[in-house]
Amino acid sequence: MKNDLNGRIALVTGSVQGIGLAVAQSLAEQGARIALHGLADVAQIAQATTVMQEAGASDVRFFEGDMRDPDAIEALIDAVDAWGPLDILVNNAGIQKTVSLKDLTRDTWDAIIAVNLSGALHTMRHALPKMAERGYGRVINIASVHGLVASKDKAPYVAAKFGLVGLSKVAALEYAHVGSKESGGVTVNCICPGWTDTPLIEPQIMARAEKYGGDREAGKAELVAEKQPSTRTADPSEIGALAVWLCAPIAHNVTGTSIPIDGGWTAQ
């Protein structure tokens, strides 16, 4: 799909691997200027930068910012704005840990809520007013099927993702009137992936694999089939393709939505 984003600046948090990297790559293919971000060493930053350049990004820079720290997030948005006006914000950074309520620690709860929910709040509250001034802006929050349905042993993650869906609806309502069809307006949406081939689900795959003598593929097949009727994982590039479409001017009236890519999981 061709959706010319040439010169648009897109910040994708947590974009050195997995879904974030794929979304950034998809935006780069449309000519966007990519602000990379994440927990990464020099080699990972260089590798992600190369991916963006080869995809066709008109420019690429890496920005630091601890998503647990509101002051660091404000500095991150300011640094990107100093590079150029932020047009597209993709809140992808996230952490996960499966643990029962009985065994959940306060530190685990605080960390997951801080990164997966509060971090997105702080990027949005700094970025959206400036998008509104220009009449165009896109916020795409990478939520989860766990922002729509629950699973055992994921209380902080589910709470954060449900919160992110709700937060996105509020922001969408507050900015729905901004801009015009011609300018593209300011929209806020969630993408809600189901099982997706990323490092985030690797611990769950390997836990299942133990039943099959360490056979990763067998563990993965059992994990996916339990919830996802298609029995297929998504590729991160599929999330990237949807993000690109949401950035198009034609999507000016698509706001406040939570779109699953889940093989029928939440249709049950």
Side-chain angles (χ1 to χ4, degrees), residues 155-172:
Y157 189 78
V158 169
K161 295 302 186 179
F162 264 75
L164 185 58
V165 167
L167 171 64
S168 300
K169 290 178 182 292
V170 172

Side-chain angles (χ1 to χ4, degrees), residues 199-256:
L200 194 66
I201 68 169
E202 193 64 24
Q204 295 173 75
I205 291 174
M206 295 314 296
R208 298 295 182 104
E210 290 180 6
K211 295 170 56 177
Y212 301 97
D215 186 333
R216 182 184 181 278
E217 289 306 309
K220 177 180 171 182
E222 180 183 286
L223 181 69
V224 173
E226 185 178 277
K227 295 287 182 68
Q228 198 147 305
S230 70
T231 72
R232 300 184 299 272
T233 57
D235 186 84
S237 64
E238 298 164 27
I239 288 86
L242 177 55
V244 167
W245 186 83
L246 288 170
C247 291
I250 199 171
H252 65 98
N253 260 338
V254 181
T255 194

Side-chain angles (χ1 to χ4, degrees), residues 58-267:
S58 52
D59 199 358
V60 188
R61 292 193 188 181
F62 179 83
F63 294 85
E64 295 182 344
D66 186 339
M67 298 305 291
R68 300 168 299 179
D69 181 350
D71 291 335
I73 291 170
E74 183 175 3
L76 166 65
I77 299 299
D78 287 345
V80 175
D81 277 331
W83 183 36
L86 178 58
D87 299 297
I88 299 163
L89 168 64
V90 182
N91 280 307
N92 169 76
I95 58 175
Q96 163 69 301
K97 182 177 182 179
T98 55
V99 60
S100 68
L101 282 170
K102 177 175 66 70
D103 296 325
L104 175 64
T105 66
R106 184 167 59 187
D107 286 346
T108 295
W109 172 269
D110 289 347
I112 292 176
I113 295 297
V115 175
N116 294 17
L117 177 57
S118 299
L121 165 68
H122 295 304
T123 59
M124 291 166 63
R125 70 185 186 87
H126 291 301
L128 278 165
K130 294 177 182 179
M131 292 178 176
E133 291 173 3
R134 298 188 293 273
Y136 172 87
R138 294 292 185 266
V139 175
I140 300 170
N141 291 323
I142 306 301
S144 168
V145 292
H146 285 117
L148 304 172
V149 295
S151 292
K152 294 187 299 182
D153 299 330
K154 297 181 180 178
Y157 189 78
V158 169
K161 295 302 186 179
F162 264 75
L164 185 58
V165 167
L167 171 64
S168 300
K169 290 178 182 292
V170 172
L173 291 173
E174 291 188 5
Y175 287 88
H177 67 287
V178 170
S180 64
K181 181 177 180 179
E182 291 71 29
S183 71
V186 175
T187 67
V188 182
N189 293 286
C190 287
I191 298 176
C192 299
W195 292 123
T196 307
D197 268 325
T198 70
L200 194 66
I201 68 169
E202 193 64 24
Q204 295 173 75
I205 291 174
M206 295 314 296
R208 298 295 182 104
E210 290 180 6
K211 295 170 56 177
Y212 301 97
D215 186 333
R216 182 184 181 278
E217 289 306 309
K220 177 180 171 182
E222 180 183 286
L223 181 69
V224 173
E226 185 178 277
K227 295 287 182 68
Q228 198 147 305
S230 70
T231 72
R232 300 184 299 272
T233 57
D235 186 84
S237 64
E238 298 164 27
I239 288 86
L242 177 55
V244 167
W245 186 83
L246 288 170
C247 291
I250 199 171
H252 65 98
N253 260 338
V254 181
T255 194
T257 68
S258 299
I259 306 174
I261 302 181
D262 67 357
W265 183 337
T266 56

Side-chain angles (χ1 to χ4, degrees), residues 17-46:
Q17 64 178 354
I19 290 174
L21 180 65
V23 170
Q25 183 175 357
S26 295
L27 296 171
E29 289 169 354
Q30 306 301 320
R33 298 166 65 189
I34 303 298
L36 293 169
H37 165 272
L39 297 174
D41 58 27
V42 172
Q44 288 175 305
I45 295 169

